[in-house]
């Protein structure tokens, strides 16, 4: 089976690869194909485009197309080495996939599964931050950061720290606040500022009934939330878990130690992958 890893807003493919790829190979085997594309205006996807390009549905379609291209290349490479046709070296163009997404990546993974863009069999939604509302309270900092970046560039970080939307996060989670400030130092952040303005305007799903469609289609889901994470609120993860009828894994807060949080995440997600 192929595993697709999707990164969060402002990050790139290295984020889920660093966190999850070693666990995937340990649990599922070294031959497991791992695909981790960069979303538009992130990482190696240099094109920014227009506001409409950042609709979650469009991003999901772009990601799905990139996954299919990578799958075709992997099949061709493994067939050239060992022989084979549509399925070569354990890689099947039309075989079932496991998709795992972090934050924005969780929303894109959900749309890929719900819209039938890839043959998803299992889905892991890690610290989901989007729901059925445009720009929910937990995401309001990002359009502000995007506008400050567009106006002042990276030097606007000091101004942003004076904003109430930043201070509310900092009061709850210093780690969460540092994550917001990291948007100012991300590669090419000012030119790509539109992503921070437009992506949070999207809804991940229409309503709870749409979330329930995953179970109806036989897609097994795991939702991962975390304590004291104002950008990725635990109630959002709880709602996703209830909607998809999947288990909820609650992580310790990042402020209690990011290494401890990552350890629990990989251990428990690995156990779920092994069992389901």
């Amino acid at each position: 089976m192929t595993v697709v890893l999707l990164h969060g807003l402002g990050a790139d493919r290295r984020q889920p690869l660093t966190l999850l790829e070693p666990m995937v190979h340990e649990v599922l085997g070294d031959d497991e194909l791992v695909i981790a594309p960069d979303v538009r205006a992130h990482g190696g996807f240099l094109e920014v485009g227009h506001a409409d390009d950042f609709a979650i549905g469009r991003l999901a379609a772009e990601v799905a197309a990139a996954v299919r291209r990578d799958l075709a290349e992997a099949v061709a490479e493994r067939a050239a080495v060992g022989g084979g046709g549509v399925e070569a070296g354990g890689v099947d163009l039309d075989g079932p996939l496991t998709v795992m997404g972090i934050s924005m990546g969780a929303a894109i993974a959900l749309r890929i599964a719900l819209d039938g863009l890839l043959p998803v069999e299992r889905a892991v939604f890690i610290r989901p931050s989007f729901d059925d509302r445009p720009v929910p309270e937990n995401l309001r900092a990002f359009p502000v950061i995007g506008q400050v970046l567009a106006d002042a560039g990276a030097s606007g970080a000091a101004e942003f720290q004076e904003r109430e939307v930043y201070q509310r996060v900092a009061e709850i989670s210093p780690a969460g606040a540092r994550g917001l400030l990291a948007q100012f130092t991300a590669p090419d952040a000012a030119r790509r500022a539109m992503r921070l303005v437009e992506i949070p305007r999207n809804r991940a799903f229409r309503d709870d009934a749409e979330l329930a469609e995953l179970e109806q289609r036989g897609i097994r889901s795991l939702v991962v939330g975390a304590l004291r994470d104002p950008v990725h609120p635990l109630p959002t993860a709880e709602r996703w878990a209830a909607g998809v009828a999947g288990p909820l894994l609650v992580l310790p807060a990042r402020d209690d130690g990011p290494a401890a949080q990552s350890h629990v995440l990989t251990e428990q997600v690995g156990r779920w992958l092994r069992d389901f």
Side-chain angles (χ1 to χ4, degrees):
M1 182 181 291
T2 299
V3 175
V4 178
L5 306 179
L6 302 177
H7 64 80
L9 180 59
D12 60 41
R13 65 191 301 270
R14 294 172 296 177
Q15 179 198 35
L17 283 172
T18 300
L19 179 63
L20 300 169
E21 186 180 30
M23 175 271 294
V24 168
H25 287 310
E26 179 181 350
V27 172
L28 301 179
D30 291 337
D31 290 337
E32 191 77 4
L33 179 63
V34 176
I35 297 176
D38 283 318
V39 177
R40 171 179 289 270
H42 292 77
F45 196 137
L46 302 181
E47 184 179 353
V48 175
H50 305 284
D52 290 349
D53 292 320
F54 291 99
I56 290 288
R58 290 196 181 188
L59 295 177
E62 281 186 338
V63 166
V67 170
R68 288 197 175 278
R69 288 194 298 269
D70 287 351
L71 270 170
E73 291 176 4
V75 167
E77 290 174 2
R78 296 191 183 190
V81 172
V86 174
E87 183 175 346
V91 179
D92 187 347
L93 277 174
D94 299 308
L97 305 174
T98 296
V99 60
M100 295 191 277
I102 301 170
S103 191
M104 174 192 74
I108 293 174
L110 179 68
R111 290 302 347 148
I112 287 173
L114 286 173
D115 296 342
L117 300 173
L118 293 171
V120 177
E121 181 179 75
R122 299 185 297 187
V124 180
F125 306 114
I126 300 171
R127 294 188 296 124
S129 54
F130 291 71
D131 56 24
D132 59 346
R133 300 166 295 167
V135 198
E137 179 68 31
N138 58 292
L139 295 180
R140 288 185 181 177
F142 291 96
V144 176
I145 296 170
Q147 191 59 58
V148 173
L149 270 170
D151 293 341
S155 63
E159 174 194 340
F160 175 67
Q161 290 180 78
E162 300 299 321
R163 302 286 187 99
E164 182 183 359
V165 69
Y166 167 81
Q167 293 172 1
R168 285 202 302 267
V169 171
E171 288 175 1
I172 300 170
S173 171
R178 289 193 296 272
L180 295 179
L181 291 178
Q183 299 288 347
F184 287 91
T185 55
D188 210 8
R191 187 181 70 86
R192 294 167 157 177
M194 186 186 297
R195 67 190 180 187
L196 303 179
V197 175
E198 297 299 331
I199 292 176
R201 293 179 177 175
N202 285 266
R203 302 182 303 170
F205 52 90
R206 184 184 64 250
D207 51 28
D208 292 347
E210 187 177 35
L211 279 178
E213 292 178 16
L214 282 194
E215 185 192 23
Q216 295 163 13
R217 298 181 191 184
I219 297 173
R220 291 167 287 172
S221 303
L222 171 68
V223 180
V224 181
L227 300 174
R228 302 201 315 276
D229 189 337
V231 177
H232 311 87
L234 185 56
T236 299
E238 290 171 340
R239 182 179 181 190
W240 279 55
V244 302
L248 172 67
L249 167 62
V250 180
L251 303 176
R254 278 188 293 175
D255 291 286
D256 294 338
Q261 185 186 82
S262 297
H263 174 74
V264 174
L265 170 66
T266 54
E267 181 181 72
Q268 295 300 317
V269 172
R271 181 176 299 174
W272 185 83
L273 291 175
R274 190 180 295 111
D275 294 342
F276 295 95

